[in-house]
Amino acid sequence: QVHLVESGGGAVQSGGSLRLSCTASGLTGSPTCLAWFRQSPGKEREQVANFYPPIKFAYYSLLSVKDRFTASQDNAGSPLYLEMNNLKPEDSGTYYCAAGGRWFNGACARRASYYTTWGQGTQVTVSS
């Protein structure tokens, strides 16, 4: 059984940085896509970035985070990170790590429904 645990959230001021970590256990079989999603109160869960471990391919689904956020993983099986710099109040929300997404036609799935395993989330609060 796959189990994901996020950590690294917290409260920072605008312009600050945080590094989220997602530790996975029980991942077996063919590689699947990993992803970071976030959700704010009253809003739908949205994908922030996805990552395909075999080729260390990262894709940023939100234009607003490009050049500020970096998804990475040192080696297969090691934690998935989300380095977040120059944080803005609109980045606030609960950040979730997800696994089990499909890799198809050179891209990871974007929709939350295509991911089979989720962490419990870690809260990020950015104050102005």
Side-chain angles (χ1 to χ4, degrees), residues 20-24 34-36 51 71-73 78-82 97-98:
L20 306 184
S21 297
C22 173
T23 300
L34 307 174
W36 287 102
F51 189 86
S72 65
Q73 185 184 48
S78 63
L80 176 71
Y81 299 107
L82 185 67
C97 177

Side-chain angles (χ1 to χ4, degrees), residues 7-115:
S7 61
V12 296
Q13 292 189 329
S14 183
S17 297
L18 286 171
R19 189 192 197 199
L20 306 184
S21 297
C22 173
T23 300
S25 60
L27 283 173
T28 60
S30 299
T32 62
C33 292
L34 307 174
W36 287 102
F37 287 79
R38 72 185 183 191
Q39 189 168 19
S40 302
K43 295 186 178 180
E44 291 188 358
R45 190 170 297 191
E46 58 184 359
Q47 189 181 88
V48 176
N50 60 57
F51 189 86
Y52 189 55
I55 56 174
K56 295 188 176 182
F57 177 78
Y59 178 81
Y60 303 94
S61 307
L62 293 177
L63 185 62
S64 64
V65 308
K66 289 181 179 180
D67 299 325
R68 297 191 299 123
F69 289 13
T70 302
S72 65
Q73 185 184 48
D74 293 336
N75 298 292
S78 63
L80 176 71
Y81 299 107
L82 185 67
E83 184 78 32
M84 306 187 295
N85 298 312
N86 191 22
L87 282 161
K88 303 176 180 182
E90 52 265 39
D91 294 319
S92 297
T94 302
Y95 282 69
Y96 298 92
C97 177
R102 186 183 180 193
W103 172 259
F104 183 73
N105 279 350
C108 282
R110 299 278 301 275
R111 291 185 176 182
S113 59
Y114 286 113
Y115 289 79

